[in-house]
């Protein structure tokens, strides 16, 4: 009993002392904006939509990011071009709701949606925090350079016919009974 | 009852079923693909493997396919057995070797049975690194999309399309791992039930093309339990909305009505809800003086008209019970008229009279499937009540089940049963005006005009019961023979069925059909009611006739209007020009002081109205509809109209406190026919703390972004004061009560196959009972046989037979943009001989002249049409030139017509000239 | 004008100085916390961030002062006023230095304890009138905590009173000319220190607020200047407890003569203010039940023993 009281007591005093000693340590604070901090590439900041290596919009409007988003701040609508390629007709992120969790990026099967190291997202007008596809879409591949979903998927799209995707045999001739 | 042991737990099961069925009925998760409760087992996919043990001492066991193994008493099986699990994982792995990397761009994604089963079977890494087999897709018409790469060759599509629904244009082609499921060549799928492929196919091969055009994932749709408004069967549906637009309709299971299937009109004909033509706001004034008025102005103006002087109301068979009631209560029963053609009204009155007769029974769709001898009298069921036609196909299969039972084969052994039965079918006799889509299952068909069929029916009644009235005409020997065998089959059947309806357009035929049923009841001993299915044209035809007084026909209303006796007429969701001859309607409208039209889409009536009130579609309102068998069902509101359209009952109610429930309660006490209707009002029995049932799934996305473009400050969700559901993700879990289940989903079962989790047994009934209530109380005995009447004699060379089309006979679905591609337009069909005589070829115009009117129609030549008759198809919204059985004369007219006969799915079309 | 106990100059300057110090503590606390947590704390508004206080004041004055429609208006407004008032009243008996003070009361200790008891009403009323579950929880906790710790706070001082033979705070200070009471009354000091923290419900005993558990406790619904009053009230409480410790245990203004007495007082009090802030930086919050058990099962017996021993020693010393 006594030793318990003693230990509790000394433990508090030791804690106080240790915290007090921090007074003489180097401060961790970076004095932004006077000093620009180094942002890691995988920092979860402002979200962008990227393009595939062929320069086409990567997003296929699968809605997975939207459903993964815990605050439901992504809304989009699928559309299809004349060659059967899916793309978002509109793609909206309400950054005033976004918590930068990165779930959308985790969920995206095409590497289209990516979080970037840009964290300077303050706006004077809250409405300006609602970004549409025009604002989100960048002209590059972002962090992932090589992946092109439509080269892997089986759907025919402009520039890639049936049987031309990775690991695909040419379309079968259903009138033939040859093996 | 048999006892079986599954993974050490003993279950009481139905020993006639197979193990898969019973596992699923007990709520266990066992993967499967090819089996379907309605189509039985073929053992094609090998996914449902389980371990079966000979006895308690057997440690080793054998792998069996659960769907191919009877749940014999004392069976011991294991789903969880390691070897079985491994087997299933290997099977799915091999099914997936050529499966494309498509999920993100696949319409099935998120409600894909293949995804669910892959996950459930534990296959998650692709080891096969050879090339994938690929296929070219086909164009299958505006409704169904095709992406053949995704096929896992389960054969469900062809088994449904060909074996179950009687389609002929979809088949398995090629062989081995090249098997291809499609048509001979590009072209629309002919079956009226092609849309079910979307739900039958466990993968994304067949998808809803109308949905894909404005696609959303299943979880993103706001849904509510609804009822199809395409025809009078009252199939239960789940419409889904996103971004203020109705996105699709899928089947909602109802154990007695539609089961697992919908027809294409109901599934794909929803586009009118999103139509650009929709009346978004109320309007006042005529012609150029027309201006839009605000909601408040419209209410004021409407009330001014309704409260001033003599006002009549014209109800509608496509409006809900509540909308009609609101009008009826507003104008009074004596001023409420049924907005259907006079001929139809007379027929509906007969139906109403028959609905109390205890010798007759209006069978549900499920009961129709159980009937093993069918006589169809003058109704083209495929085009007037399509889901019933699908059920009739199943009733023809009862013979196969009998044979199987005799041979000791369980009925779910699909391949074996079909092999055994070959083409043997239960008797189905089709007596109709023209060749129909059911002819392939008919034991005999007779094509004749209504008067001819009436005579046959009268004679048949007489054959069945000598007390029946003497038929007017004498028959030929072969006709007598045919009637003899029909009579024998009906008498000898376990459960015979008479199908008739308003489609023949003939009151006399309907009476004759009733006589047949009564005679049959007498012939069969009279203690058991005879199934008498009377098809009516529209979703609420029965409801309307139960509300309107017996003499309150549209003709009477028009006469009063013409005579200038009424100051104002309120037309509820109805186009009068489709209900009465143009001259009559015009004269009436000229006589009435003010015309108010409430509707969702502009019609010729709304064009001429002084006040047009914007009404809502079925999806934007809650309403009750009464189907052909007198089943009242509630259709819940799916979403809010974001413009100024409001439900008709809200416009019409006198007090703004009047609720839907209030309307029904008043009706129940004042209208005899509606007694018991309040029992269907959805109550939230399980509700806690006043919570409502959410219309949005728990995965609904974009809640804080959808409105953000307009305003980043999120508004409140629209409130729903009228129902127990909320436009929200929050509230009670609707999984608890299938009556309000907007969306079938269960953990691990994202596809529609999850419906098993809500049924008492697979293919059975919903756990909390099938929603809806039958209103017909049959305690009256028959008033005696109807006496045959001599038909009114009109002059002319041809007898007119009205025809119907899946697309075009229903006013609303025909206005959906996609359906437009499948419309034919008005036409008359002639026998080749008659066409030759007249010197007309297909699509030439002929003038059809009747007593009062003459109209030009394009001609179509059908081999089956009886010479001396013409089969006239008039799209909804137009009034046919003459009634059924009327004599008309034909003459060749100048020019050619625009009818698109390529859209006509009949087997007897004379091809040349098209 | 003269520096004399109770003079108008005294009253005005003490009031001003105390309130200004309390306000400055907003900055001091944040800077110190920063320093002890290897951060910098507010350093951008004005030199060293000193004007942060001004910025905060401006903000708090211009913020919307919202009274929830469901709250009980009267007590909702009254509550923050009570805390300010009772704490400021307590300062009236504090002996800052000879001649510096407001009242030279011979029941000074009792007065302070009485005011502390009244302070509990502020927190309770604030929470109850908010009609909010977190506020209610906060005020329930506050009531129990404050009522309990008042007991040991009082008992822990009885030793000093017995030694001095007076409730007069000035006399208590003067009685320490030969030695601070902290030495004979080390147990009393520790109990008073702990009870003082609990009374002013500062970390680690901020259980009535406990952001992580119950939002902001009793002041969840407060905003604008009403919140500001709770805020400043808390800092005033901090200064008060530090001043009391100085006066009761560390000889008040007494100190070597090369500095004026008021300075000694300020120095000692500042030390304790800093110590309290260090406690906030270092020690985690106990659970509510732990706090109550600790009080009743450990501090209460301990303070009674302390009183008993002190009494016994005095009796023995007086040769009785
Ligand atoms: S980062 Fe998280 S919160 Fe932000 S959009 Fe992506 S999923 Fe939503
Ligand atoms: S998950 Fe990726 S591909 Fe899918 S909608 Fe979002 S951004 Fe587009
Ligand atoms: S069918 Fe199912 S598994 Fe295949 S691509 Fe479509 S969603 Fe994915
Ligand atoms: S198309 Fe669909 S239903 Fe038909 S075999 Fe392939 S996976 Fe099965
Ligand atoms: S479901 Fe049993 S083998 Fe396909």
């Amino acid at each position: 009993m006594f030793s318990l009281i003693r230990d509790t007591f000394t433990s508090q005093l030791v804690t106080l002392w240790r915290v007090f000693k921090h007074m003489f340590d180097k401060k961790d604070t970076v004095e932004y904006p006077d000093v620009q901090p180094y942002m890691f590439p995988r920092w979860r900041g402002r979200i962008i939509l990227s393009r595939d290596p062929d320069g086409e919009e990567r997003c296929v409007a699968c809605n997975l990011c939207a459903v993964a988003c815990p605050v439901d701040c992504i809304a989009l609508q699928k559309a299809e071009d004349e060659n059967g390629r899916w793309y978002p007709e509109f793609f909206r992120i309400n950054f005033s709701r976004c918590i930068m969790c990165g779930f959308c990026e985790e969920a995206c099967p095409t590497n289209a949606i990516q979080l970037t190291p840009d964290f300077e997202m303050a706006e004077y007008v809250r409405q300006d925090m609602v970004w549409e596809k025009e604002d989100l879409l960048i002209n590059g591949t972002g962090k992932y350079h090589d992946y092109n979903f439509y080269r892997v998927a089986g759907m025919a799209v402009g520039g890639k016919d049936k049987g031309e995707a990775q690991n695909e045999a040419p379309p079968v001739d259903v009138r033939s009974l040859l093996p | 009852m048999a006892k079986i042991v599954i993974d050490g737990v003993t279950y009481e099961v139905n020993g006639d079923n197979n193990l898969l069925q019973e596992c699923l009925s007990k709520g266990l998760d066992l993967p499967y693909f090819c089996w379907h409760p309605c189509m039985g087992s073929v053992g094609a996919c090998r996914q449902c493997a389980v371990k079966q043990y000979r006895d308690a001492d057997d440690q080793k066991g054998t792998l069996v396919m659960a769907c191919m193994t009877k749940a014999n008493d004392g069976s011991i099986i294991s789903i969880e057995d390691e070897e079985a699990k491994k087997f299933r994982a290997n099977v799915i792995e091999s099914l997936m070797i050529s499966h494309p990397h498509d999920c993100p761009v696949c319409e099935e994604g998120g409600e894909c049975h293949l995804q669910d089963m892959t996950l459930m079977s534990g296959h998650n890494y692709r080891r096969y690194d050879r090339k994938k087999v690929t296929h070219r897709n086909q164009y299958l018409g505006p409704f169904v999309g095709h992406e053949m790469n995704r096929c896992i060759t389960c054969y469900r599509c062809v088994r449904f399309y060909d074996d179950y629904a009687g389609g002929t244009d979809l088949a398995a082609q090629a062989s081995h791992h090249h098997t291809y499921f499609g048509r001979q060549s590009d072209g629309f799928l002919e079956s009226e039930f092609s849309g079910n492929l979307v739900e039958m196919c466990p993968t994304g091969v067949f998808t809803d093309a109308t949905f894909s055009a404005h696609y959303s994932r299943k979880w993103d749709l706001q849904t509510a339990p609804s009822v199809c408004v395409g025809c009078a069967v009252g199939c239960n549906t789940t419409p889904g909305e996103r971004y203020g637009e109705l996105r699709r309709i899928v089947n909602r299971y109802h154990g007695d009505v539609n089961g697992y299937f919908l027809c294409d009109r109901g599934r794909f004909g929803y586009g009118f809800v999103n139509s650009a033509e929709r009346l978004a706001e109320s309007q006042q004034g005529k012609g150029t003086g027309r201006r839009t008025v605000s909601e408040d102005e419209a209410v004021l103006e409407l009330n001014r008209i309704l409260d001033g002087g003599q006002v009549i109301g014209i109800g509608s068979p496509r409006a809900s019970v509540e909308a009609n009631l609101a009008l009826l209560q507003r104008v009074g029963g004596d001023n409420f008229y049924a907005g259907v053609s006079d001929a139809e009204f007379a027929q509906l009155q007969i139906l109403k009279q028959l609905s109390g007769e205890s010798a007759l029974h209006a069978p549900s769709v499920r009961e129709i499937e159980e009937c093993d001898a069918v006589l169809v009298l003058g109704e083209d069921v495929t085009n007037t009540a399509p889901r019933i036609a699908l059920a009739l196909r199943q009733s023809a299969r009862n013979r196969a089940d009998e044979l199987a039972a005799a041979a000791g084969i369980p009925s779910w052994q699909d391949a074996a049963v079909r092999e055994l039965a070959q083409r043997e079918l239960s008797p189905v006799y089709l007596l109709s005006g023209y060749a129909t889509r059911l002819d392939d299952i008919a034991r005999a068909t007779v094509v004749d005009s209504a008067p001819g069929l009436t005579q046959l029916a009268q004679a048949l009644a007489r054959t069945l019961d000598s007390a029946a009235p003497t038929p007017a005409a004498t028959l030929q020997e072969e006709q007598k023979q045919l009637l003899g065998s029909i009579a024998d089959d009906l008498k000898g059947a376990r459960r015979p069925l008479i199908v008739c309806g308003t489609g023949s357009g003939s009151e006399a035929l309907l009476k004759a059909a009733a006589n047949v049923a009564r005679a049959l009841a007498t012939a069969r001993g009279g203690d058991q009611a005879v199934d008498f299915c009377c098809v009516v044209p529209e979703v609420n035809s029965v409801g309307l006739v139960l509300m309107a007084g017996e003499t309150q026909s549209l003709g009477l209303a028009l006469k009063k209007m013409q005579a200038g006796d009424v100051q104002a007429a309120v037309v509820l969701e109805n186009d009068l020009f489709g209900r009465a001859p143009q001259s009559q309607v015009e004269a009436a409208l000229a006589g009435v002081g003010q015309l108010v039209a409430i509707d969702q889409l502009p019609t010729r009536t709304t064009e001429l109205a002084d006040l047009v009130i914007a009404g809502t579609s079925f999806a934007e309102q809650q309403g009750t509809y009464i189907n052909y068998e007198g089943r009242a069902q509630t259709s819940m509101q799916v979403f809010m109209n974001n413009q100024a359209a409001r439900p008709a009952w809200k416009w019409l109610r006198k007090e703004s406190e009047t609720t839907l429930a209030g309307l029904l309660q008043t009706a129940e006490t004042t209208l005899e026919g509606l007694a018991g209707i309040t029992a269907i009002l959805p109550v939230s029995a399980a509700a806690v703390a006043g919570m409502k049932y959410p219309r949005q799934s728990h995965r609904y996305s974009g809640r804080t972004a959808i409105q953000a473009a307009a305003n980043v400050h999120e508004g409140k969700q629209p409130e729903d004061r009228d129902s127990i559901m909320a436009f929200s993700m929050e509230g009670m879990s609707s999984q608890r009560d299938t009556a309000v289940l907007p969306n079938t989903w269960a953990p691990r079962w994202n596809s529609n196959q999850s419906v098993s989790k809500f049924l008492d047994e697979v293919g059975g009934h919903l756990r909390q009972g099938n929603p809806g209530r039958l209103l017909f109380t049959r305690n009256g005995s028959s008033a005696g046989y109807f006496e045959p009447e001599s038909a009114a004699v009109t002059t002319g060379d041809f007898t007119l037979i009205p025809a119907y089309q899946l697309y075009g006979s229903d006013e609303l679905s025909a206005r959906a943009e996609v359906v437009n591609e499948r419309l034919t337009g008005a036409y008359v069909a002639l026998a080749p001989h008659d066409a030759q005589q007249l010197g007309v070829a297909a699509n030439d115009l002929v003038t059809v002249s009747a007593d009062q009117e003459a109209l030009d129609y394009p001609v179509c030549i059908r081999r089956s049409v009886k010479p001396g008759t013409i089969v006239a198809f008039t799209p909804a919204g137009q009034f046919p030139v003459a009634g059924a059985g009327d004599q008309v004369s034909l003459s060749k007219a100048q020019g050619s017509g625009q009818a698109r006969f390529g859209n006509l799915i009949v087997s007897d079309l004379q091809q040349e000239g098209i | 004008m003269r520096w004399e106990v109770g003079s108008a100059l005294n009253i005005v300057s003490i009031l001003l100085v105390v309130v200004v110090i309390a306000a400055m503590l907003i900055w001091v606390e944040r800077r110190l916390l920063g320093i002890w947590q290897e951060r910098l704390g507010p350093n951008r508004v004005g030199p060293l961030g000193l004007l942060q206080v001004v910025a905060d004041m401006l903000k708090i004055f211009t913020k919307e002062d919202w009274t929830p429609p469901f709250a009980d208006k009267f007590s909702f407004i009254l509550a923050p006023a009570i805390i300010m008032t009772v704490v400021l009243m307590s300062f009236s008996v504090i002996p800052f230095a000879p001649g510096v003070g407001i009242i030279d009361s011979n029941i000074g200790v009792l007065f302070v304890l009485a005011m502390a008891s009244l302070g509990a009403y502020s927190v309770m009323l604030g929470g109850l009138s908010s009609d909010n579950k977190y506020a209610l929880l906060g005020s329930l906790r506050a009531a129990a905590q404050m009522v309990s710790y008042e007991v040991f706070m009082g008992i822990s001082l009885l030793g000093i009173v017995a030694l001095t033979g007076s409730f007069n705070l000035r006399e208590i200070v003067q009685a320490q000319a030969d030695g601070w009471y902290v030495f004979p009354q080390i147990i009393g000091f520790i109990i008073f220190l702990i009870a003082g923290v609990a009374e002013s419900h500062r970390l680690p005993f901020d259980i009535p607020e406990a952001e992580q558990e119950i939002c902001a406790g009793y002041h969840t619904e407060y905003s604008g200047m009403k919140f500001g009053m709770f805020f400043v009230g808390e800092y005033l409480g901090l200064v008060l407890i530090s001043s009391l410790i100085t006066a009761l245990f560390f000889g008040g203004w007494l100190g070597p003569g090369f500095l004026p007495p008021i300075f000694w007082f300020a120095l000692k009090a500042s030390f304790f203010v800093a110590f309290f802030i260090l406690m906030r930086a270092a020690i985690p919050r106990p659970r509510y039940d732990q706090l109550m058990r600790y009080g009743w099962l450990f501090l209460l017996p301990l303070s009674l023993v302390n009183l008993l021993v002190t009494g016994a020693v005095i009796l023995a010393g007086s040769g009785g």
Side-chain angles (χ1 to χ4, degrees), chain B residues 243-545:
Chain B
Y243 303 138
E245 207 180 58
L246 190 59
R247 291 282 165 106
R248 71 158 175 192
I249 288 181
V250 290
N251 183 68
R252 180 166 63 95
Y253 192 91
H254 189 294
D256 287 328
V257 186
N258 49 312
Y260 292 90
F261 308 108
L262 291 180
C263 79
D264 289 0
R265 181 198 279 176
R267 187 184 297 270
F268 300 121
Y270 63 85
F272 68 92
V273 175
N274 307 326
S275 169
E277 292 179 5
R278 276 288 296 277
L279 294 169
E281 279 161 319
S282 304
Q283 295 166 334
Q284 194 182 15
K286 273 190 182 155
T288 49
R290 183 163 278 191
R291 61 181 188 97
T292 53
V293 287
S294 72
E295 221 181 306
D296 294 340
E297 277 180 276
V299 172
L300 279 180
E301 183 62 16
L302 181 65
N303 282 334
R304 192 184 61 74
I305 293 175
L306 279 169
D307 294 337
Q310 173 71 356
V311 184
I312 63 164
I314 296 176
S316 166
R318 67 170 156 89
S320 66
V321 168
E322 290 85 347
N324 280 304
L325 277 176
L327 179 60
L328 184 145
Q329 290 175 6
R330 202 65 203 266
V331 296
D334 295 341
N335 295 319
F336 179 80
Y337 296 89
V340 296
S341 74
D342 286 355
E344 192 181 315
F345 190 62
Q347 286 178 307
L348 291 172
Q349 286 301 335
I350 295 171
L351 168 66
K352 185 174 167 186
Q353 184 185 338
L354 295 173
S355 72
E357 228 164 84
S358 52
L360 308 179
H361 168 72
S364 65
V365 176
R366 183 190 279 265
E367 287 168 337
I368 289 175
E369 286 175 359
E370 282 160 18
C371 294
D372 59 346
V374 180
L375 170 68
V376 181
L377 273 167
E379 188 73 21
D380 178 9
V381 187
T382 315
N383 288 310
T384 56
R387 183 63 185 81
I388 290 182
L390 189 60
L392 289 178
R393 280 193 182 277
Q394 311 323 311
S395 54
R397 293 259 309 142
N398 278 313
R399 175 80 187 130
D401 287 343
E402 279 164 25
L403 290 172
I409 302 172
S411 61
W412 43 263
Q413 278 284 12
D414 194 54
V417 173
R418 283 179 194 275
E419 190 66 25
L420 178 74
Q422 297 292 333
R423 290 284 304 152
E424 285 237 30
L425 295 171
S426 304
V428 175
Y429 294 97
L430 298 178
L431 277 55
S432 48
Y434 48 91
T436 67
R437 294 272 286 156
L438 284 176
D439 287 2
D440 60 320
I441 56 162
R443 185 161 288 182
T445 60
V446 175
V447 172
D448 205 341
S449 62
L453 296 179
T454 310
Q455 279 168 17
L456 278 181
Q458 295 288 11
L460 178 60
R462 178 77 173 188
T463 318
L464 285 163
D465 177 15
S466 50
T470 337
T474 46
L475 301 179
Q476 285 147 16
E477 196 46 46
E478 62 196 83
Q479 283 177 319
K480 275 191 191 146
Q481 249 170 31
L482 173 68
L483 292 185
S485 50
I486 297 178
D488 289 345
D489 281 336
L490 290 178
K491 272 193 285 194
R494 185 172 39 78
R495 184 162 189 177
L497 166 69
I498 313 293
V499 180
C500 63
T502 54
S504 65
S506 160
E507 195 184 331
L509 181 53
L510 196 57
K511 285 180 174 167
N515 279 357
V516 172
R518 288 161 169 171
L520 182 59
T522 317
R524 286 170 63 86
D527 55 345
Q528 204 186 344
V530 163
D531 287 308
F532 178 74
C533 169
C534 180
V535 174
V536 296
E538 280 165 89
V539 61
N540 208 13
S541 294
V542 172
L544 182 63
V545 79

Side-chain angles (χ1 to χ4, degrees), chain B residues 96 99-103 106 108-110 112 114-115 150 202-205:
Chain B
M96 295 283 277
H99 201 75
H101 186 72
D102 266 3
C103 295
C106 178
E108 198 84 351
C112 177
L114 178 57
Q115 280 180 337
R150 300 175 188 148
T203 76
V205 174

Side-chain angles (χ1 to χ4, degrees), chain C residues 94 112 153 169 192 239-249:
Chain C
I94 301 292
V112 168
M153 190 161 157
L169 279 165
F192 185 77
V239 178
L240 178 70
I241 292 290
S242 305
S243 308
L244 279 172
I245 291 176
T246 306
L248 291 167
F249 294 98

